Amino acid sequence: VLFGGRSYMPSTQRTTEKWNSVADCLPHVFLVDFEFGCATSYVLPELQDGLSFHVSIARNDTIYILGGHSLANNIRPVNLYRIRVDLPLGSPAVNCTILPGGISVSSAILTQTNNDEFVIVGGYQLENQKRMVCNIVHLEDNKIEIHEMETPDWTPDIKHSKIWFGSNMGNGTVFLGIPGDNKQAVSEAFYFYMLKCSEDDVNEDQKIFTSSQTSTEDPGDSTPFEDSEEFCFSAEANSFDGDDEFDTYNEDDEEDESVTGYWITCCATCDVDINTWVPFYSTELNKPAMIYCSHGDGHWVHAQCMGL
């Protein structure tokens, strides 16, 4: 069974500005017969939009499709489809059922941990926001259940990277990669990690998943940031002594970023969180950029919250 994907716009619809534009393929399901070398397309009323970068799980004559991205609407709908293929004598029968309990995700990685369980890792929940939550998918007979699992202890590099990619390595292991830091004197093109989603030897009703990550990066090889790219604040970011001409560097703040001024709530609409924050500007490598507002008693605000 083939479903989803993208294609270039027909040449008759292209313009100079949009010559390389793509569109979601029509929501057709193709049944490919390798024995006879033929394919048949099916239009299913449940599939109204084309989808790309969804997650699919196949079990015998059933395929489950989760998530995906609709380019026409620029949304990642909470999808969960079940496509079943029956092969009676004569023409095959393909039907689709919309199931509840789907998830909104695109470009995720699927790995199988045992005969009936899979883990969904990575992907995106918005165009510029990675999906840091992982899900366990349990299949039993004709039932599918999706639950959130304990979030892995992502490294700071993974948390702060805007993009990530990878593939299933089998046996519950996922291979992840992120772009390297081009600000370093000796820059690596990419950094790679292995995420293991294997079960510990515990009681049946106390199953837990462990995650381990390794990287080729040696933190000691990193070069300092340029002066214009590093900001240092004390723990009390909202209180400043008017007699101090310069802020001083506090090494203790670097060891516990959860209490530094970088993670303050700078305004009512501030959504910068240490657990979900990703760089918004090219100069934000490990911490959000901040500016000093002299209004009133003066206070620090995140540059991205001010739309700068």
Side-chain angles (χ1 to χ4, degrees):
V1 172
L2 295 178
F3 173 75
R6 289 180 180 169
S7 64
Y8 282 107
M9 294 177 60
S11 58
T12 55
Q13 300 178 15
R14 297 190 194 182
T15 63
T16 303
E17 294 78 12
K18 299 181 179 180
W19 184 255
N20 290 324
S21 297
V22 295
D24 290 321
C25 294
L26 295 174
H28 293 176
V29 173
F30 292 86
L31 183 62
V32 182
D33 191 323
F34 290 100
E35 181 178 357
F36 296 98
C38 60
T40 307
S41 65
Y42 297 84
V43 178
L44 305 178
E46 294 80 7
L47 301 176
Q48 296 294 326
D49 299 313
L51 289 174
S52 307
F53 307 119
H54 57 265
V55 176
S56 61
I57 302 176
R59 172 64 62 87
N60 298 325
D61 59 354
T62 304
I63 300 96
Y64 295 93
I65 296 175
L66 299 88
H69 180 249
S70 174
L71 187 62
N73 303 319
N74 192 25
I75 60 173
R76 291 165 175 80
V78 183
N79 287 332
L80 178 53
Y81 298 110
R82 180 177 63 200
I83 297 178
R84 182 166 294 165
V85 180
D86 294 322
L87 300 175
L89 295 177
S91 177
V94 179
N95 60 77
C96 178
T97 304
I98 301 176
L99 302 178
I103 58 175
S104 174
V105 65
S106 64
S107 302
I109 305 167
L110 183 75
T111 184
Q112 187 169 4
T113 54
N114 60 44
N115 290 336
D116 299 320
E117 286 188 347
F118 301 79
V119 175
I120 299 176
V121 178
Y124 298 85
Q125 60 188 29
L126 294 173
E127 184 176 354
N128 59 353
Q129 184 175 353
K130 305 192 304 297
R131 189 175 190 270
M132 311 299 291
V133 176
C134 301
N135 293 91
I136 298 176
V137 181
H138 182 76
L139 295 180
E140 184 177 358
D141 298 329
N142 294 326
K143 295 181 179 180
I144 179 172
E145 296 181 355
I146 305 174
H147 305 284
E148 286 190 9
M149 62 176 287
E150 182 179 354
T151 303
D153 186 14
W154 302 116
T155 66
D157 287 337
I158 293 180
K159 286 183 180 180
H160 298 158
S161 177
K162 285 188 176 181
I163 63 174
W164 56 356
F165 56 91
S167 180
N168 176 30
M169 297 182 65
N171 298 322
T173 303
V174 171
F175 189 66
L176 289 172
I178 61 174
D181 182 6
N182 57 12
K183 295 292 184 179
Q184 297 183 9
V186 180
S187 176
E188 297 288 344
F190 300 97
Y191 299 135
F192 296 101
Y193 302 80
M194 290 176 58
L195 176 65
K196 297 182 179 180
C197 307
S198 56
E199 296 183 21
D200 290 343
D201 294 331
V202 295
N203 296 333
E204 189 68 20
D205 58 347
Q206 295 179 340
K207 289 184 179 179
I208 61 174
F209 286 79
T210 60
S211 304
S212 64
Q213 300 165 329
T214 59
S215 173
T216 58
E217 178 186 8
D218 183 1
D221 294 337
S222 301
T223 57
F225 297 147
E226 298 177 3
D227 292 341
S228 61
E229 297 173 350
E230 182 175 11
F231 300 86
C232 304
F233 302 94
S234 64
E236 298 179 356
N238 288 323
S239 59
F240 293 88
D241 188 351
D243 296 334
D244 293 340
E245 183 178 359
F246 301 102
D247 293 327
T248 57
Y249 174 79
N250 188 343
E251 185 177 0
D252 293 335
D253 293 341
E254 287 294 295
E255 297 177 358
D256 185 7
E257 293 182 345
S258 63
V259 298
T260 62
Y262 291 104
W263 313 113
I264 64 171
T265 299
C266 68
C267 61
T269 59
C270 175
D271 59 356
V272 176
D273 184 273
I274 187 174
N275 298 314
T276 59
W277 176 82
V278 294
F280 193 81
Y281 300 103
S282 60
T283 56
E284 295 179 329
L285 300 180
N286 292 301
K287 302 178 181 69
M290 301 189 75
I291 61 174
Y292 183 72
C293 177
S294 59
H295 180 71
D297 296 333
H299 61 284
W300 290 90
V301 295
H302 302 113
Q304 69 182 59
C305 293
M306 300 297 293
L308 301 178

